[in-house]
Short mmCIF file of all heavy atoms in Angstrom, two decimals:
data_model
loop_
_atom_site.label_atom_id
_atom_site.label_comp_id
_atom_site.label_asym_id
_atom_site.label_seq_id
_atom_site.Cartn_x
_atom_site.Cartn_y
_atom_site.Cartn_z
N MET A 1 110.33 105.07 99.00
CA MET A 1 109.47 103.91 98.94
C MET A 1 109.37 103.50 97.47
O MET A 1 108.80 104.21 96.65
CB MET A 1 108.10 104.28 99.52
CG MET A 1 107.07 103.23 99.38
SD MET A 1 105.56 103.54 100.33
CE MET A 1 105.10 105.17 99.88
N SER A 2 109.94 102.36 97.12
CA SER A 2 109.88 101.92 95.73
C SER A 2 109.37 100.49 95.65
O SER A 2 109.51 99.70 96.57
CB SER A 2 111.26 102.03 95.08
OG SER A 2 112.17 101.17 95.74
N ILE A 3 108.78 100.20 94.52
CA ILE A 3 108.28 98.87 94.22
C ILE A 3 109.41 98.09 93.56
O ILE A 3 110.08 98.59 92.67
CB ILE A 3 107.06 98.96 93.28
CG1 ILE A 3 105.92 99.69 93.97
CG2 ILE A 3 106.62 97.58 92.82
CD1 ILE A 3 104.78 100.06 93.04
N GLU A 4 109.63 96.86 93.99
CA GLU A 4 110.68 96.02 93.41
C GLU A 4 110.03 94.98 92.52
O GLU A 4 109.18 94.19 92.95
CB GLU A 4 111.47 95.33 94.53
CG GLU A 4 112.55 94.42 94.03
CD GLU A 4 113.25 93.67 95.15
OE1 GLU A 4 112.92 93.88 96.33
OE2 GLU A 4 114.13 92.85 94.84
N HIS A 5 110.42 94.98 91.25
CA HIS A 5 109.88 94.01 90.29
C HIS A 5 110.76 92.77 90.29
O HIS A 5 111.99 92.87 90.17
CB HIS A 5 109.82 94.62 88.89
CG HIS A 5 108.88 95.78 88.82
ND1 HIS A 5 107.58 95.64 88.41
CD2 HIS A 5 109.02 97.09 89.15
CE1 HIS A 5 106.97 96.81 88.47
NE2 HIS A 5 107.83 97.71 88.92
N ILE A 6 110.17 91.60 90.42
CA ILE A 6 110.89 90.33 90.49
C ILE A 6 110.65 89.57 89.17
O ILE A 6 109.51 89.22 88.86
CB ILE A 6 110.41 89.48 91.68
CG1 ILE A 6 110.48 90.27 92.99
CG2 ILE A 6 111.18 88.16 91.76
CD1 ILE A 6 111.86 90.71 93.39
N ASN A 7 111.71 89.36 88.42
CA ASN A 7 111.64 88.63 87.15
C ASN A 7 112.84 87.68 87.07
O ASN A 7 113.87 88.01 86.50
CB ASN A 7 111.65 89.61 85.97
CG ASN A 7 110.35 90.37 85.88
OD1 ASN A 7 109.30 89.79 85.65
ND2 ASN A 7 110.40 91.67 86.11
N PRO A 8 112.70 86.49 87.66
CA PRO A 8 113.81 85.55 87.71
C PRO A 8 114.27 85.08 86.32
O PRO A 8 113.46 85.00 85.39
CB PRO A 8 113.24 84.36 88.49
CG PRO A 8 112.02 84.86 89.16
CD PRO A 8 111.51 85.97 88.32
N ALA A 9 115.54 84.78 86.22
CA ALA A 9 116.08 84.19 84.99
C ALA A 9 115.34 82.88 84.72
O ALA A 9 114.99 82.14 85.64
CB ALA A 9 117.58 83.94 85.15
N GLY A 10 115.08 82.60 83.46
CA GLY A 10 114.39 81.37 83.08
C GLY A 10 112.89 81.54 82.98
O GLY A 10 112.20 80.61 82.56
N LEU A 11 112.36 82.70 83.38
CA LEU A 11 110.92 82.98 83.23
C LEU A 11 110.74 84.10 82.21
O LEU A 11 111.63 84.92 82.00
CB LEU A 11 110.30 83.39 84.56
CG LEU A 11 110.26 82.33 85.66
CD1 LEU A 11 109.59 82.90 86.90
CD2 LEU A 11 109.52 81.09 85.19
N LEU A 12 109.58 84.13 81.60
CA LEU A 12 109.25 85.15 80.61
C LEU A 12 109.46 86.54 81.19
O LEU A 12 109.02 86.83 82.30
CB LEU A 12 107.79 85.00 80.17
CG LEU A 12 107.25 86.08 79.25
CD1 LEU A 12 107.94 86.01 77.89
CD2 LEU A 12 105.75 85.94 79.09
N LYS A 13 110.13 87.40 80.44
CA LYS A 13 110.29 88.81 80.83
C LYS A 13 109.39 89.62 79.91
O LYS A 13 109.71 89.85 78.76
CB LYS A 13 111.74 89.24 80.73
CG LYS A 13 112.58 88.54 81.77
CD LYS A 13 113.96 89.12 81.87
CE LYS A 13 114.66 88.30 82.94
NZ LYS A 13 115.87 88.81 83.40
N SER A 14 108.27 90.01 80.44
CA SER A 14 107.26 90.73 79.66
C SER A 14 107.31 92.22 79.97
O SER A 14 107.47 92.61 81.13
CB SER A 14 105.87 90.18 80.01
OG SER A 14 104.87 91.00 79.45
N PRO A 15 107.11 93.07 78.96
CA PRO A 15 107.02 94.50 79.25
C PRO A 15 105.68 94.88 79.88
O PRO A 15 105.52 95.97 80.41
CB PRO A 15 107.17 95.14 77.86
CG PRO A 15 106.68 94.09 76.92
CD PRO A 15 107.05 92.78 77.54
N ALA A 16 104.73 93.96 79.86
CA ALA A 16 103.38 94.25 80.38
C ALA A 16 103.20 93.89 81.85
O ALA A 16 102.32 94.43 82.50
CB ALA A 16 102.35 93.50 79.54
N PHE A 17 104.00 92.98 82.38
CA PHE A 17 103.84 92.57 83.77
C PHE A 17 105.13 92.00 84.32
O PHE A 17 106.04 91.68 83.58
CB PHE A 17 102.73 91.52 83.91
CG PHE A 17 103.03 90.21 83.21
CD1 PHE A 17 103.73 89.20 83.86
CD2 PHE A 17 102.62 89.99 81.91
CE1 PHE A 17 104.02 88.00 83.22
CE2 PHE A 17 102.90 88.80 81.26
CZ PHE A 17 103.61 87.80 81.92
N SER A 18 105.21 91.90 85.63
CA SER A 18 106.33 91.27 86.31
C SER A 18 105.86 89.95 86.90
O SER A 18 104.69 89.80 87.25
CB SER A 18 106.86 92.17 87.43
OG SER A 18 107.43 93.33 86.90
N GLN A 19 106.79 89.02 87.06
CA GLN A 19 106.45 87.73 87.66
C GLN A 19 106.11 87.89 89.14
O GLN A 19 105.31 87.14 89.68
CB GLN A 19 107.61 86.74 87.48
CG GLN A 19 107.90 86.40 86.04
CD GLN A 19 106.78 85.67 85.35
OE1 GLN A 19 105.93 85.04 85.96
NE2 GLN A 19 106.75 85.76 84.02
N GLY A 20 106.69 88.86 89.77
CA GLY A 20 106.38 89.16 91.17
C GLY A 20 106.69 90.61 91.47
O GLY A 20 107.45 91.25 90.75
N ILE A 21 106.08 91.13 92.50
CA ILE A 21 106.33 92.52 92.91
C ILE A 21 106.41 92.55 94.43
O ILE A 21 105.56 91.97 95.11
CB ILE A 21 105.22 93.45 92.42
CG1 ILE A 21 105.22 93.52 90.89
CG2 ILE A 21 105.38 94.85 93.00
CD1 ILE A 21 104.12 94.35 90.30
N VAL A 22 107.42 93.23 94.94
CA VAL A 22 107.56 93.42 96.37
C VAL A 22 107.23 94.87 96.67
O VAL A 22 107.80 95.79 96.07
CB VAL A 22 109.00 93.10 96.84
CG1 VAL A 22 109.15 93.39 98.33
CG2 VAL A 22 109.36 91.65 96.53
N VAL A 23 106.29 95.07 97.58
CA VAL A 23 105.89 96.40 98.00
C VAL A 23 106.42 96.61 99.42
O VAL A 23 106.27 95.72 100.27
CB VAL A 23 104.35 96.54 97.98
CG1 VAL A 23 103.92 97.91 98.43
CG2 VAL A 23 103.81 96.24 96.59
N PRO A 24 107.06 97.73 99.70
CA PRO A 24 107.59 97.97 101.04
C PRO A 24 106.51 97.84 102.12
O PRO A 24 105.34 98.16 101.88
CB PRO A 24 108.11 99.41 100.98
CG PRO A 24 108.28 99.70 99.53
CD PRO A 24 107.26 98.87 98.82
N ALA A 25 106.92 97.38 103.28
CA ALA A 25 105.96 97.16 104.38
C ALA A 25 105.24 98.43 104.79
O ALA A 25 104.10 98.39 105.21
CB ALA A 25 106.69 96.57 105.58
N ASN A 26 105.88 99.57 104.61
CA ASN A 26 105.25 100.82 105.03
C ASN A 26 104.51 101.51 103.88
O ASN A 26 104.17 102.68 103.97
CB ASN A 26 106.30 101.77 105.61
CG ASN A 26 107.35 102.15 104.58
OD1 ASN A 26 107.49 101.51 103.54
ND2 ASN A 26 108.11 103.19 104.86
N ALA A 27 104.26 100.77 102.80
CA ALA A 27 103.61 101.36 101.62
C ALA A 27 102.13 101.61 101.86
O ALA A 27 101.47 100.92 102.63
CB ALA A 27 103.78 100.43 100.43
N ARG A 28 101.64 102.62 101.20
CA ARG A 28 100.21 102.93 101.19
C ARG A 28 99.61 102.21 99.99
O ARG A 28 100.05 102.40 98.86
CB ARG A 28 100.03 104.43 101.05
CG ARG A 28 98.61 104.87 101.05
CD ARG A 28 98.55 106.40 101.07
NE ARG A 28 97.18 106.81 100.92
CZ ARG A 28 96.78 107.79 100.15
NH1 ARG A 28 97.65 108.49 99.46
NH2 ARG A 28 95.52 108.10 100.07
N LEU A 29 98.64 101.33 100.22
CA LEU A 29 98.03 100.55 99.15
C LEU A 29 96.67 101.14 98.80
O LEU A 29 95.88 101.47 99.68
CB LEU A 29 97.86 99.09 99.57
CG LEU A 29 99.14 98.34 99.91
CD1 LEU A 29 98.81 96.93 100.38
CD2 LEU A 29 100.07 98.28 98.71
N LEU A 30 96.39 101.21 97.51
CA LEU A 30 95.10 101.68 97.01
C LEU A 30 94.47 100.56 96.19
O LEU A 30 95.10 100.03 95.28
CB LEU A 30 95.31 102.92 96.11
CG LEU A 30 94.12 103.38 95.29
CD1 LEU A 30 92.99 103.88 96.19
CD2 LEU A 30 94.55 104.47 94.32
N PHE A 31 93.28 100.18 96.55
CA PHE A 31 92.53 99.18 95.79
C PHE A 31 91.42 99.93 95.05
O PHE A 31 90.61 100.61 95.68
CB PHE A 31 91.94 98.11 96.71
CG PHE A 31 92.99 97.32 97.42
CD1 PHE A 31 93.47 97.73 98.66
CD2 PHE A 31 93.53 96.19 96.84
CE1 PHE A 31 94.45 97.02 99.32
CE2 PHE A 31 94.52 95.46 97.49
CZ PHE A 31 94.98 95.88 98.73
N ILE A 32 91.39 99.79 93.73
CA ILE A 32 90.44 100.54 92.91
C ILE A 32 89.37 99.58 92.40
O ILE A 32 89.67 98.52 91.87
CB ILE A 32 91.16 101.20 91.71
CG1 ILE A 32 92.23 102.15 92.22
CG2 ILE A 32 90.16 101.92 90.81
CD1 ILE A 32 93.10 102.73 91.13
N GLY A 33 88.12 100.00 92.55
CA GLY A 33 87.00 99.20 92.04
C GLY A 33 87.01 99.18 90.52
O GLY A 33 87.64 100.01 89.88
N GLY A 34 86.31 98.23 89.95
CA GLY A 34 86.22 98.11 88.50
C GLY A 34 85.73 99.40 87.86
O GLY A 34 84.73 99.97 88.30
N GLN A 35 86.42 99.84 86.85
CA GLN A 35 86.07 101.08 86.16
C GLN A 35 85.36 100.75 84.85
O GLN A 35 85.66 99.76 84.20
CB GLN A 35 87.32 101.91 85.90
CG GLN A 35 88.02 102.35 87.16
CD GLN A 35 87.14 103.22 88.03
OE1 GLN A 35 86.60 104.23 87.58
NE2 GLN A 35 86.97 102.83 89.27
N ASN A 36 84.43 101.60 84.48
CA ASN A 36 83.66 101.44 83.26
C ASN A 36 83.86 102.64 82.35
O ASN A 36 84.38 103.66 82.78
CB ASN A 36 82.16 101.30 83.58
CG ASN A 36 81.88 100.09 84.41
OD1 ASN A 36 82.24 98.98 84.03
ND2 ASN A 36 81.24 100.26 85.55
N GLY A 37 83.39 102.52 81.12
CA GLY A 37 83.48 103.61 80.16
C GLY A 37 82.33 104.58 80.32
O GLY A 37 81.58 104.80 79.37
N VAL A 38 82.19 105.15 81.51
CA VAL A 38 81.09 106.07 81.78
C VAL A 38 81.62 107.41 82.27
O VAL A 38 82.72 107.51 82.79
CB VAL A 38 80.12 105.49 82.84
CG1 VAL A 38 79.47 104.21 82.33
CG2 VAL A 38 80.81 105.23 84.16
N ASP A 39 80.77 108.45 82.09
CA ASP A 39 81.14 109.76 82.60
C ASP A 39 80.69 109.92 84.04
O ASP A 39 80.23 108.95 84.66
CB ASP A 39 80.57 110.87 81.70
CG ASP A 39 79.05 110.89 81.65
OD1 ASP A 39 78.38 110.30 82.53
OD2 ASP A 39 78.51 111.53 80.73
N ASP A 40 80.80 111.13 84.57
CA ASP A 40 80.47 111.35 85.98
C ASP A 40 78.99 111.25 86.30
O ASP A 40 78.60 111.25 87.47
CB ASP A 40 81.04 112.68 86.48
CG ASP A 40 80.49 113.87 85.72
OD1 ASP A 40 79.87 113.68 84.65
OD2 ASP A 40 80.69 114.99 86.20
N THR A 41 78.14 111.11 85.28
CA THR A 41 76.70 110.90 85.52
C THR A 41 76.32 109.44 85.37
O THR A 41 75.17 109.07 85.56
CB THR A 41 75.85 111.74 84.54
OG1 THR A 41 76.03 111.24 83.21
CG2 THR A 41 76.20 113.21 84.62
N GLY A 42 77.29 108.59 84.98
CA GLY A 42 77.02 107.18 84.77
C GLY A 42 76.61 106.84 83.35
O GLY A 42 76.30 105.70 83.03
N LYS A 43 76.66 107.83 82.46
CA LYS A 43 76.27 107.62 81.06
C LYS A 43 77.46 107.08 80.27
O LYS A 43 78.58 107.57 80.39
CB LYS A 43 75.82 108.95 80.46
CG LYS A 43 75.39 108.84 79.02
CD LYS A 43 74.94 110.18 78.47
CE LYS A 43 74.60 110.03 77.00
NZ LYS A 43 74.36 111.31 76.37
N LEU A 44 77.20 106.04 79.43
CA LEU A 44 78.24 105.51 78.56
C LEU A 44 78.75 106.62 77.65
O LEU A 44 77.96 107.38 77.09
CB LEU A 44 77.71 104.37 77.70
CG LEU A 44 77.55 103.01 78.37
CD1 LEU A 44 76.89 102.02 77.43
CD2 LEU A 44 78.89 102.47 78.83
N VAL A 45 80.05 106.69 77.48
CA VAL A 45 80.63 107.76 76.67
C VAL A 45 80.82 107.36 75.21
O VAL A 45 81.10 108.20 74.37
CB VAL A 45 81.99 108.23 77.25
CG1 VAL A 45 81.80 108.82 78.63
CG2 VAL A 45 82.99 107.11 77.28
N ALA A 46 80.68 106.07 74.91
CA ALA A 46 80.86 105.59 73.54
C ALA A 46 80.06 104.31 73.36
O ALA A 46 79.78 103.61 74.31
CB ALA A 46 82.33 105.34 73.25
N SER A 47 79.71 104.03 72.10
CA SER A 47 78.97 102.80 71.82
C SER A 47 79.89 101.66 71.41
O SER A 47 79.45 100.52 71.28
CB SER A 47 77.93 103.04 70.72
OG SER A 47 78.58 103.48 69.54
N ASP A 48 81.19 101.94 71.24
CA ASP A 48 82.13 100.90 70.83
C ASP A 48 83.08 100.55 71.97
O ASP A 48 83.29 101.33 72.89
CB ASP A 48 82.92 101.35 69.61
CG ASP A 48 83.82 102.54 69.91
OD1 ASP A 48 83.31 103.55 70.45
OD2 ASP A 48 85.03 102.46 69.62
N ILE A 49 83.65 99.36 71.88
CA ILE A 49 84.52 98.85 72.95
C ILE A 49 85.78 99.70 73.09
O ILE A 49 86.28 99.91 74.20
CB ILE A 49 84.87 97.36 72.72
CG1 ILE A 49 85.59 96.76 73.93
CG2 ILE A 49 85.71 97.17 71.47
CD1 ILE A 49 84.71 96.58 75.12
N GLY A 50 86.30 100.23 71.98
CA GLY A 50 87.50 101.06 72.05
C GLY A 50 87.28 102.33 72.84
O GLY A 50 88.08 102.70 73.70
N GLY A 51 86.18 103.01 72.57
CA GLY A 51 85.86 104.24 73.28
C GLY A 51 85.58 104.02 74.74
O GLY A 51 85.99 104.80 75.60
N GLN A 52 84.87 102.93 75.05
CA GLN A 52 84.56 102.62 76.44
C GLN A 52 85.83 102.23 77.20
O GLN A 52 86.01 102.61 78.36
CB GLN A 52 83.53 101.50 76.51
CG GLN A 52 82.15 101.94 76.06
CD GLN A 52 81.13 100.83 76.13
OE1 GLN A 52 81.25 99.91 76.93
NE2 GLN A 52 80.12 100.91 75.30
N THR A 53 86.71 101.48 76.55
CA THR A 53 87.97 101.09 77.19
C THR A 53 88.84 102.31 77.47
O THR A 53 89.42 102.44 78.56
CB THR A 53 88.74 100.08 76.31
OG1 THR A 53 87.92 98.92 76.12
CG2 THR A 53 90.06 99.68 76.95
N ALA A 54 88.92 103.21 76.50
CA ALA A 54 89.71 104.43 76.69
C ALA A 54 89.19 105.22 77.89
O ALA A 54 89.97 105.71 78.72
CB ALA A 54 89.69 105.28 75.43
N ARG A 55 87.87 105.34 78.02
CA ARG A 55 87.31 106.09 79.14
C ARG A 55 87.55 105.36 80.46
O ARG A 55 87.84 105.98 81.49
CB ARG A 55 85.81 106.34 78.94
CG ARG A 55 85.16 107.13 80.05
CD ARG A 55 85.87 108.49 80.26
NE ARG A 55 85.32 109.22 81.37
CZ ARG A 55 84.61 110.33 81.25
NH1 ARG A 55 84.39 110.86 80.07
NH2 ARG A 55 84.14 110.93 82.32
N ALA A 56 87.44 104.02 80.46
CA ALA A 56 87.69 103.25 81.68
C ALA A 56 89.13 103.46 82.15
O ALA A 56 89.38 103.63 83.35
CB ALA A 56 87.42 101.77 81.44
N VAL A 57 90.09 103.49 81.22
CA VAL A 57 91.48 103.73 81.58
C VAL A 57 91.65 105.16 82.10
O VAL A 57 92.34 105.39 83.10
CB VAL A 57 92.43 103.45 80.40
CG1 VAL A 57 93.85 103.91 80.69
CG2 VAL A 57 92.41 101.97 80.05
N ASP A 58 91.01 106.12 81.46
CA ASP A 58 91.05 107.51 81.95
C ASP A 58 90.50 107.60 83.37
O ASP A 58 91.05 108.30 84.22
CB ASP A 58 90.26 108.43 81.04
CG ASP A 58 90.93 108.67 79.70
OD1 ASP A 58 92.14 108.37 79.56
OD2 ASP A 58 90.24 109.16 78.78
N ASN A 59 89.40 106.89 83.63
CA ASN A 59 88.81 106.88 84.97
C ASN A 59 89.76 106.26 85.99
O ASN A 59 89.90 106.76 87.11
CB ASN A 59 87.48 106.14 84.97
CG ASN A 59 86.40 106.88 84.19
OD1 ASN A 59 86.53 108.06 83.85
ND2 ASN A 59 85.32 106.18 83.88
N LEU A 60 90.42 105.18 85.60
CA LEU A 60 91.41 104.53 86.47
C LEU A 60 92.54 105.50 86.81
O LEU A 60 92.93 105.63 87.97
CB LEU A 60 91.98 103.29 85.77
CG LEU A 60 93.15 102.60 86.45
CD1 LEU A 60 92.66 101.79 87.63
CD2 LEU A 60 93.89 101.73 85.47
N ILE A 61 93.06 106.19 85.81
CA ILE A 61 94.14 107.14 86.03
C ILE A 61 93.68 108.27 86.95
O ILE A 61 94.42 108.71 87.82
CB ILE A 61 94.66 107.68 84.68
CG1 ILE A 61 95.36 106.57 83.91
CG2 ILE A 61 95.60 108.87 84.89
CD1 ILE A 61 95.68 106.90 82.47
N LYS A 62 92.44 108.71 86.78
CA LYS A 62 91.92 109.79 87.62
C LYS A 62 91.90 109.37 89.09
O LYS A 62 92.25 110.14 89.99
CB LYS A 62 90.53 110.19 87.17
CG LYS A 62 89.98 111.40 87.91
CD LYS A 62 88.65 111.85 87.34
CE LYS A 62 88.92 112.56 86.04
NZ LYS A 62 87.74 113.21 85.47
N VAL A 63 91.50 108.12 89.36
CA VAL A 63 91.49 107.62 90.74
C VAL A 63 92.92 107.56 91.28
O VAL A 63 93.19 107.99 92.40
CB VAL A 63 90.81 106.24 90.84
CG1 VAL A 63 90.92 105.67 92.25
CG2 VAL A 63 89.34 106.32 90.42
N LEU A 64 93.85 107.03 90.47
CA LEU A 64 95.25 106.95 90.89
C LEU A 64 95.80 108.33 91.24
O LEU A 64 96.42 108.53 92.29
CB LEU A 64 96.11 106.35 89.77
CG LEU A 64 96.14 104.85 89.64
CD1 LEU A 64 96.79 104.46 88.31
CD2 LEU A 64 96.89 104.22 90.79
N GLU A 65 95.58 109.30 90.35
CA GLU A 65 96.11 110.64 90.57
C GLU A 65 95.47 111.32 91.77
O GLU A 65 96.15 112.03 92.52
CB GLU A 65 95.94 111.48 89.31
CG GLU A 65 96.86 111.03 88.18
CD GLU A 65 96.65 111.77 86.88
OE1 GLU A 65 95.62 112.48 86.73
OE2 GLU A 65 97.51 111.64 86.00
N THR A 66 94.18 111.10 91.97
CA THR A 66 93.50 111.68 93.12
C THR A 66 94.09 111.16 94.42
O THR A 66 94.17 111.89 95.42
CB THR A 66 91.98 111.40 93.05
OG1 THR A 66 91.47 111.98 91.85
CG2 THR A 66 91.25 111.97 94.24
N ALA A 67 94.55 109.91 94.41
CA ALA A 67 95.15 109.31 95.60
C ALA A 67 96.64 109.64 95.72
O ALA A 67 97.30 109.20 96.64
CB ALA A 67 94.97 107.80 95.57
N GLY A 68 97.18 110.41 94.75
CA GLY A 68 98.58 110.79 94.81
C GLY A 68 99.51 109.88 94.03
O GLY A 68 100.72 109.97 94.17
N GLY A 69 98.95 108.99 93.22
CA GLY A 69 99.77 108.06 92.45
C GLY A 69 99.84 108.41 90.98
O GLY A 69 99.29 109.41 90.53
N ARG A 70 100.55 107.55 90.25
CA ARG A 70 100.71 107.69 88.80
C ARG A 70 100.48 106.32 88.18
O ARG A 70 100.52 105.30 88.86
CB ARG A 70 102.12 108.13 88.45
CG ARG A 70 102.56 109.43 89.08
CD ARG A 70 104.05 109.59 88.99
NE ARG A 70 104.64 108.42 89.65
CZ ARG A 70 105.89 108.03 89.54
NH1 ARG A 70 106.71 108.69 88.79
NH2 ARG A 70 106.34 106.97 90.17
N LEU A 71 100.26 106.30 86.88
CA LEU A 71 100.06 105.03 86.19
C LEU A 71 101.25 104.10 86.42
O LEU A 71 101.08 102.88 86.53
CB LEU A 71 99.83 105.28 84.70
CG LEU A 71 99.29 104.12 83.89
CD1 LEU A 71 98.00 103.57 84.48
CD2 LEU A 71 99.08 104.52 82.45
N GLU A 72 102.44 104.65 86.54
CA GLU A 72 103.65 103.85 86.77
C GLU A 72 103.62 103.14 88.12
O GLU A 72 104.37 102.19 88.35
CB GLU A 72 104.90 104.73 86.69
CG GLU A 72 105.15 105.31 85.32
CD GLU A 72 104.31 106.57 85.04
OE1 GLU A 72 103.79 107.20 85.99
OE2 GLU A 72 104.18 106.92 83.85
N ASP A 73 102.78 103.60 89.04
CA ASP A 73 102.67 102.98 90.37
C ASP A 73 101.71 101.80 90.38
O ASP A 73 101.65 101.08 91.38
CB ASP A 73 102.19 104.02 91.39
CG ASP A 73 103.15 105.17 91.54
OD1 ASP A 73 104.37 104.94 91.53
OD2 ASP A 73 102.69 106.33 91.66
N LEU A 74 100.98 101.61 89.31
CA LEU A 74 99.99 100.53 89.24
C LEU A 74 100.69 99.18 89.31
O LEU A 74 101.65 98.92 88.58
CB LEU A 74 99.20 100.65 87.95
CG LEU A 74 98.02 99.72 87.77
CD1 LEU A 74 96.96 99.99 88.84
CD2 LEU A 74 97.44 99.87 86.39
N VAL A 75 100.23 98.33 90.21
CA VAL A 75 100.87 97.02 90.41
C VAL A 75 100.13 95.92 89.67
O VAL A 75 100.74 95.05 89.09
CB VAL A 75 100.93 96.70 91.93
CG1 VAL A 75 101.41 95.28 92.16
CG2 VAL A 75 101.84 97.69 92.63
N ARG A 76 98.81 95.95 89.67
CA ARG A 76 98.06 94.84 89.08
C ARG A 76 96.71 95.29 88.56
O ARG A 76 96.04 96.11 89.16
CB ARG A 76 97.82 93.76 90.14
CG ARG A 76 97.07 92.57 89.63
CD ARG A 76 96.87 91.53 90.74
NE ARG A 76 96.26 90.34 90.24
CZ ARG A 76 94.96 90.15 90.10
NH1 ARG A 76 94.11 91.10 90.42
NH2 ARG A 76 94.47 89.02 89.63
N LEU A 77 96.33 94.72 87.43
CA LEU A 77 94.97 94.87 86.90
C LEU A 77 94.37 93.48 86.82
O LEU A 77 95.04 92.52 86.50
CB LEU A 77 94.99 95.45 85.48
CG LEU A 77 95.35 96.92 85.34
CD1 LEU A 77 95.49 97.29 83.87
CD2 LEU A 77 94.29 97.78 85.97
N GLY A 78 93.12 93.38 87.12
CA GLY A 78 92.47 92.07 87.05
C GLY A 78 91.14 92.15 86.36
O GLY A 78 90.59 93.18 86.14
#
């Protein structure tokens, strides 16, 4: 089961995103709620945006890994 990245000629080819993504029909999809820069008690882990962002990304990765995925499996952030 692999994700197919669609990047047609004539459109921007970005290392950060694909113009389209095809997910196999039998794929297991995980939708993750918005993550914050907080620890497991809900306490902010840093007073600066960099520290909070780093923790939010760590939290996102933890959810992905718990579901059996990897950061490379992430299709979209919004």
